[in-house]
Amino acid sequence: MPELPEVETIARELNGHVTGRRIEAIEIFRADALGRQAPADFCRALRGREIRHCSRRGKYLIFHLHPERYLVVHLRMTGKFAVTAPLEAPLRDHRLWFHLDDGRVLVFQDLRCFGTLDVVARLSDSPALSKLGMEPLSPQCTQSWLRRALAASRTPLKPWLMDQTKIAGLGNIYASEILYAAGLDPTQPANGLDGPSVARLHRATRRILRKAILKSGTTISDFRRVDQKTGEFQHFLRVYGKAGEPCPKCKTPIAAIRQQQRSTFYCPRCQR
DNA sequence: AGCGGAACCTGTCGGC
DNA sequence: TGCCGACAGGTTCCGC
């Protein structure tokens, strides 16, 4: 489900709901998300700790706990968090309940059971986080960084943008939208971009992500915010999911192709 | 280095 | 109505 803007939205909203709350107990209804961590160890590592705040790195959500521990969560396709009053019984997609010290419950839901939750003592202990590349909205993500990074690879642009070890946080929706906004062919090799193209890609990446965060992300089927509201960026999508519809700029039908087993949407006329 | 394919798991949708 | 395959916003592993 969620890419950078959706995870950023969830982190911000969780801050309003769970900051300062202590985790009093944990109930696990289905342990897939814990990977090789034993449920008892997982609970023991979290119980009694206070949630100081939530942040995001790439598509990972990070709960900063006190005394120091970190809960590193990846929502994959269908993971969600909700904060609710106590329930009698878990709903079908409820995987874990974190009982908080104000009586409410932080619920982790995940229909497809792809999501992951890991507890680490230090952020540098997380193998997942250590593999991530540049944060696209950070000050370090400059045009010259992007130029050098692109020059090192002949991978087609769209798969390049989705490679989390290069830039962290872009998925299938935003990669397509960014390339449309930049007017770039998703199939062209990363190292084939000239200076002006790199500049357009850099600007489009930051502009699209900032706007998507402003709109609280994209809800296509099941993304929900912590309060169950939908994101609103889907109203601003130009190409994603719009195969056959006219390009907003030139009216050429939007094309759909497969790249690395994922759909790519683009305008064959505007993107070269 | 980089690609295709499969795997993780569940639901939905379109075609026949 | 029912069955079957394709597909879904992600990541990782394996083999070539």
Side-chain angles (χ1 to χ4, degrees):
Chain A
M1 159 188 57
E3 306 180 32
L4 187 154
E6 289 76 37
V7 180
E8 180 69 26
T9 297
I10 292 171
R12 290 181 183 186
E13 295 185 346
L14 282 174
N15 273 322
H17 287 286
V18 300
T19 306
R21 298 276 62 82
R22 201 160 48 85
I23 299 170
E24 294 204 320
I26 297 160
E27 283 186 83
I28 300 174
F29 306 109
R30 192 164 156 168
D32 303 39
L34 305 186
R36 280 200 292 268
Q37 301 163 105
D41 294 341
F42 179 83
C43 295
R44 200 176 311 120
L46 297 178
R47 198 181 305 129
R49 291 181 204 273
E50 178 193 333
I51 302 172
R52 281 286 169 86
H53 83 285
C54 302
S55 67
R56 176 197 62 74
R57 170 82 171 99
K59 299 175 195 172
Y60 288 85
L61 191 59
I62 304 169
F63 292 80
H64 300 245
L65 307 175
H66 178 80
E68 187 173 18
R69 284 289 186 285
Y70 301 89
L71 175 60
V72 180
V73 179
H74 199 301
L75 302 168
R76 299 290 178 104
M77 310 283 257
T78 53
K80 296 179 190 46
F81 277 102
V83 181
T84 71
L87 302 170
E88 296 231 336
L91 301 182
R92 184 178 41 175
D93 63 346
H94 284 193
R95 305 299 175 222
L96 286 89
W97 283 355
F98 300 86
H99 293 273
L100 305 176
D101 63 354
D102 62 356
R104 294 183 304 163
V105 181
L106 173 64
V107 180
F108 176 67
Q109 312 168 240
D110 188 8
L111 185 65
R112 286 174 73 178
C113 302
F114 281 5
T116 59
L117 297 90
D118 283 292
V119 184
V120 291
R122 284 173 302 273
L123 281 181
S124 55
D125 291 343
S126 163
L129 295 182
S130 68
K131 289 177 198 151
L132 294 179
M134 180 63 79
E135 273 299 319
L137 294 178
S138 72
Q140 291 76 35
C141 185
T142 61
Q143 231 181 81
S144 59
W145 173 83
L146 182 61
R147 176 168 41 78
R148 280 190 290 268
L150 288 163
S153 170
R154 55 189 172 78
T155 298
L157 261 188
K158 199 254 193 171
W160 191 92
L161 286 177
M162 290 177 63
D163 181 342
Q164 303 300 301
T165 69
K166 297 188 166 67
I167 294 180
L170 302 181
N172 212 29
I173 295 179
Y174 294 105
S176 278
E177 292 298 317
I178 287 166
L179 289 172
Y180 175 76
L184 295 170
D185 177 351
T187 65
Q188 79 176 108
N191 63 7
L193 268 64
D194 60 15
S197 298
V198 173
R200 290 206 308 279
L201 179 58
H202 184 256
R203 278 198 302 270
T205 301
R206 294 165 72 98
R207 183 165 61 78
I208 298 273
L209 292 178
R210 286 209 181 97
K211 178 156 187 188
I213 291 171
L214 202 64
K215 299 294 173 187
S216 303
T218 301
T219 296
I220 290 200
S221 57
D222 59 6
F223 168 66
R224 288 297 181 280
R225 296 157 60 182
V226 176
D227 55 12
Q228 306 309 307
K229 288 182 193 152
T230 57
E232 295 305 326
F233 191 73
Q234 63 275 17
H235 305 304
F236 300 89
L237 297 176
R238 294 291 178 259
V239 290
Y240 183 83
K242 299 190 184 295
E245 295 180 33
C247 164
K249 286 185 234 168
C250 77
K251 308 303 175 202
T252 301
I254 298 300
I257 58 172
R258 301 288 290 179
Q259 290 181 287
Q260 300 189 171
Q261 278 105 266
R262 312 299 304 279
S263 326
T264 296
F265 299 90
Y266 74 108
C267 171
R269 180 154 170 216
C270 294
Q271 296 178 250
R272 303 172 171 278

